[in-house]
Amino acid sequence: MSERFAAASERKVISRTSAEELGTLAHIVVDVKRRQIASLVVGKGRKALLIAWEQVSGFGPDAIMIADDTALQEPRDDGEQAAADGKLELIGKRALSDSGNDLGNVTDVVFDPDTGAIQSILVDDREYPAVSLLGAGSFAVIVREPAE
Amino acid sequence: MSVLVTGSAIRGLPVVTIRGGEDVAEVRDVIYSPEAGRIVGLTLNKRGFLAGRRREVLSAETIHAIGPDAVMIEDESSLILPENSPAGLGTPPSGRDVTGNEVLTEAGASLGQVRDIVVLVGSTGTVVGYEIDAAAGGTGYIPLPKQLAVSGSALVVPDATKEFIEDNLVGLAAAVDKFRSEAESR
């Protein structure tokens, strides 16, 4: 199974207990070291709330299911605030190789919706496997360029 | 094939951490050792418009790669204060600026004057040639041997250098490999 960040953007987030819509998916936060989704940022009106990946009960094709709205947290520190503000969003970010080449912009990220594992990252529609992802921050995503 | 950039193209490049993906500084100037034929380090500015100088410097040893679009470092611990940096970087000796130096062949012919250094992209600061104001007019690019004699005002290159003067960096990239392999077989 695989799913893409761009396609999942603005997918509705639903409470499993009340069947209410709690918001829509605003951003996906990636733990680059583990190459794994760390948390989701859910937009609810003008607010941005976070939920850890472990607390997502189902990342489905039509809706993202969570237990209830108590699972959604306000940002608690600078890192979470940056995530909530979308500063860590991978899509649209410049991609640099570890040898200092500008590779283009990140256009999409492919992941496994069951486990949250990152499978690959697309830079101007060229696909780089997840293992080539070295780092990411507010300035750039760093990718290891394959040996020619 | 090797890609080359001039020293002036390195100035202003962002300095980016590989793990963090952050632009922690930008290149203010290039500190070059003509004897070693390599960059010994970089001085830095803060990021942003008119942000001013950063006191820390970057030693070539902790640079992961100098690329055409960014200088890559492992993390911010690579930025060190000048007093903790290797000699020659914290307080570079004066008279080390090669720009304006005359390029003389061993036979005593002047090829022109040095305008800039040419750096191998993806390396940690290997200088493979010079951009010169050619004695014959216009801009020229000359390959450098691994060792050469330099004083404060002139440098001496092998006679064969004049056969390798190129008018662009792409030509120089090819010339450097050929020039160095020929120099070694002599």
Side-chain angles (χ1 to χ4, degrees):
Chain A
M1 280 273 277
S2 58
E3 173 78 85
R4 289 176 176 229
F5 279 20
S9 173
E10 294 186 27
R11 191 163 296 171
K12 42 185 197 266
V13 176
I14 305 285
S15 158
R16 220 175 50 220
T17 41
S18 69
E20 269 181 291
E21 180 170 334
L22 302 174
T24 57
L25 180 62
H27 303 289
I28 300 180
V29 183
V30 173
D31 179 338
V32 170
K33 230 181 219 158
R34 288 164 56 225
R35 297 178 181 111
Q36 160 80 34
I37 294 176
S39 57
L40 306 179
V41 179
V42 178
K44 191 179 181 183
R46 298 171 74 179
K47 266 181 152 174
L49 301 168
L50 287 108
I51 178 167
W53 175 261
E54 290 71 30
Q55 290 182 278
V56 174
S57 41
F59 200 110
D62 303 304
I64 298 158
M65 309 302 291
I66 66 173
D68 54 47
D69 61 359
T70 61
L72 295 172
Q73 301 269 345
E74 301 256 0
R76 285 165 301 186
D77 56 37
D78 289 352
E80 292 193 354
Q81 187 61 55
D85 293 343
K87 287 188 184 142
L88 306 181
E89 175 67 58
L90 297 185
I91 292 181
K93 196 148 283 171
R94 138 192 13 225
L96 288 174
S97 77
D98 63 330
S99 49
N101 279 308
D102 195 325
L103 303 174
N105 290 324
V106 176
T107 45
D108 216 341
V109 179
V110 184
F111 67 101
D112 181 334
D114 291 331
T115 62
I118 304 299
Q119 295 169 330
S120 64
I121 154 162
L122 286 102
V123 177
D124 286 349
D125 298 322
R126 279 187 314 277
E127 192 163 8
Y128 294 87
V131 289
S132 54
L133 185 59
L134 299 177
S138 59
F139 182 73
V141 175
I142 318 298
V143 176
R144 186 186 293 118
E145 253 180 305
E148 280 168 37
Chain B
M1 198 176 77
S2 329
V3 177
L4 308 176
V5 288
T6 58
S8 62
I10 297 171
R11 285 193 281 274
L13 285 182
V15 176
V16 181
T17 57
I18 291 177
R19 304 290 151 202
E22 299 295 338
D23 52 334
V24 294
E26 72 182 40
V27 179
R28 179 187 180 89
D29 211 351
V30 176
I31 311 294
Y32 167 62
S33 162
E35 293 84 0
R38 63 190 326 281
I39 290 173
V40 289
L42 303 170
T43 59
L44 306 169
N45 278 338
K46 291 172 187 150
R47 280 294 271 166
F49 186 58
L50 296 178
R53 176 162 208 157
R54 251 191 106 132
R55 253 195 97 221
E56 295 90 341
V57 295
L58 196 52
S59 162
E61 278 127 55
T62 59
I63 295 174
H64 181 83
I66 295 173
D69 306 303
V71 173
M72 308 303 292
I73 59 174
E74 215 48 56
D75 55 48
E76 224 169 328
S77 69
S78 299
L79 306 182
I80 50 173
L81 289 169
E83 50 269 34
N84 302 331
S85 70
L89 176 56
T91 49
S94 54
R96 293 286 286 283
D97 190 351
V98 292
T99 52
N101 282 10
E102 186 164 30
V103 182
L104 291 170
T105 65
E106 283 164 347
S110 174
L111 299 181
Q113 286 181 338
V114 176
R115 191 194 290 159
D116 205 348
I117 55 173
V118 177
V119 180
L120 182 63
V121 162
S123 75
T124 61
T126 309
V127 173
V128 294
Y130 285 146
E131 181 182 77
I132 61 170
D133 287 316
T139 300
Y141 294 90
I142 57 166
L144 289 183
K146 281 178 182 153
Q147 299 287 328
L148 80 169
V150 282
S151 72
S153 58
L155 58 121
V156 179
V157 298
D159 289 336
T161 304
K162 62 178 182 290
E163 294 152 35
F164 290 91
I165 300 178
E166 296 286 334
D167 61 7
N168 61 65
L169 283 175
V170 175
L172 179 64
V176 164
D177 294 342
K178 193 153 175 278
F179 177 73
R180 287 200 168 177
S181 64
E182 281 187 19
E184 270 159 25
S185 62
R186 263 173 215 173

